[in-house]
Amino acid sequence: MHKFKALLTNYQGVILGFLILSLGFDFLDKIGIFYNIELLKLNRIIKAIFILYAVVFILTHYKYVLDNLKLLMGFIILLSFLFLLKNNFSHRYVDEYLRYIFPLLVFPLIHFANLNTAQNFATKLYKLFIGFIVLNAIYVFLGLIFEILIFQTYQYHRFGYNGIILSQGFTPYLYLCATTLFWAFKNKKMILLTLVIASLSGVKGVFFAEFLLVSLLIVFDSNLKKSLKFKILIAAFIAFIGLLVGLFLTPLFQKVIKSDGLFTAIFSYRTDNTLELFNELSSINYSFLFGTIGLEIVRLELQMLDIMLFFGIIGLLGYSVFIYFLYTHLVNNYISKAFFITIIALSILSGNLFYIPLSTLLMFLVLFALHKKKDLNDHAF
């Protein structure tokens, strides 16, 4: 019992273990999807177990949570109340609610594990990213050379290889977090490897995120000379434009551009879908205050609109306060500032930050890893 209790209270180990299992189970799910095999959704089961673990943590550490994260708990209650007001408990609506509430429920656990343990969590996370990126690079190159379906990003005829990563929506966030950590640890070889496999993903969001991140890191770094900054920014811009042009010259994008225009190709029909959905809104299926009531489409992959669509203006204000809290409490150096700006900008343009649980989890972990442990007694939130 003593060993079992020690295992359960090794919060850093539990978090990293969950991350590793989630990535592995996501790959199993990808196999099932790409080859039409009915497999048990282990990735959903492990997420359910982890969120239950996080809830138990909150209940057993309620004093710590109330002292440090009182407003966060109030926000969780508010979102839950908004969800109940919809009076729609279909599978789609319950799934949406659980996805949005997941990062908020696990944040107290991550907050405690990072700020109240002596172990160096940043180094563990850094080593984990090295192992994953090297392993995934092998699969990406194998997929590219031998055209292996399971290592491709998309099931249909569109170029892209993201290795064992399940979702193209999650791909930009994973590579973004990896690049940021490698920059913080000054590992140039891993930065280069990450940028190479990121360019092979075929995901526009990846191109945008890596370009913006590298550009901001260069601009914010006071140790670099202006002439060197200019050269690197020019090289990054050329690479970014080159990747986009190369992608848009593929047959699939050429077809979209000819039929629907360049703007539609850039945003992958998000703008078209947004306009179409807005025409369907009415007082019967949508409330401006607490969001959608009976709509079939509840996500546009544009973060601010997605939150407002599902939770209304109240939910959007709440998430805005939470994002402000993250910035004011965890962003205190040029690397974390560049990372934070990039990940929020990416979410606004492509969504999936607060929708895909692992995206938010990685954001939290990287922000804490970059944060200097000096605000342990700050109870502002």
Side-chain angles (χ1 to χ4, degrees), residues 17-28:
F18 165 72
L19 183 58
I20 294 171
L21 288 175
S22 293
L23 292 171
F25 291 157
D26 275 358
F27 180 52
L28 290 178

Side-chain angles (χ1 to χ4, degrees), residues 126 180-189 191 223 334:
Y126 167 68
T180 302
L181 266 188
F182 296 150
W183 187 284
F185 280 84
K186 301 180 180 179
N187 192 330
K188 296 179 181 179
K189 292 182 179 178
I191 292 175
N223 295 319
Y334 86 93

Side-chain angles (χ1 to χ4, degrees), residues 305-324:
L305 291 180
D306 286 350
I307 292 174
M308 188 168 178
L309 184 61
F310 194 71
F311 286 113
I313 190 65
I314 297 176
L316 180 60
L317 290 174
Y319 271 102
S320 298
V321 172
F322 181 60
I323 292 172
Y324 177 74

Side-chain angles (χ1 to χ4, degrees), residues 206-227:
V206 173
F207 302 161
F208 168 77
E210 294 298 312
F211 166 69
L212 181 59
L213 175 67
V214 172
S215 299
L216 291 176
L217 287 170
I218 295 299
V219 171
F220 293 158
D221 191 346
S222 59
N223 295 319
L224 295 178
K225 296 181 179 180
K226 290 184 179 180
S227 58

Side-chain angles (χ1 to χ4, degrees), residues 13-46:
V14 169
I15 293 169
L16 291 179
F18 165 72
L19 183 58
I20 294 171
L21 288 175
S22 293
L23 292 171
F25 291 157
D26 275 358
F27 180 52
L28 290 178
D29 196 29
K30 185 178 183 181
I31 294 174
I33 294 172
F34 274 56
Y35 293 108
N36 295 315
I37 304 173
E38 289 292 334
L39 297 175
L40 185 63
K41 298 290 186 180
L42 294 174
N43 53 350
R44 295 184 181 179
I45 294 175
I46 193 65

